[in-house]
Amino acid sequence: QVQLVESGGGLVQAGGSLRLSCAASERTFSTYYMGWFRQAPGKEREFVASISWTGRITSYADSVKGRFTISRDNAKNTVYLQMNSLNTDDTADYYCAASTLRPGVHLEDYAYWGQGTQVTVSS
């Protein structure tokens, strides 16, 4: 069972950037599809981005397309989320997730979840 630990969250001004990391415990990390989700206060958890085993196929929510980039380093068992041009709507807890099925956009596509890292964007 893979364990996921997110890091890199924090407070940033609007227009700024952050890079989130998610380290996986599993040696077979390269066989997992990975995703990032976020949950703002009072809202449901929503899809942000996903990436295939090799990293060649990525998918993004419309709200972050062109601003966020998901990537992975299988040698380091880590997936990243580079977030640029942040705005206050990006304020949320960010979660990484792992799937053995598909790089999906739904919560139920993912069996394993991290504890989350908080991102706060100030105006």
Side-chain angles (χ1 to χ4, degrees), residues 38-41 87-94 118-122:
R38 67 186 181 185
Q39 187 167 17
N87 59 60
T88 55
D89 290 338
D90 297 316
T91 294
D93 292 326
Y94 284 72
Q118 188 174 57
V119 172
T120 303
V121 183
S122 63

Side-chain angles (χ1 to χ4, degrees), residues 2-13:
V2 63
Q3 293 182 326
L4 305 171
V5 179
E6 301 96 336
S7 62
L11 175 64
V12 63
Q13 286 190 329

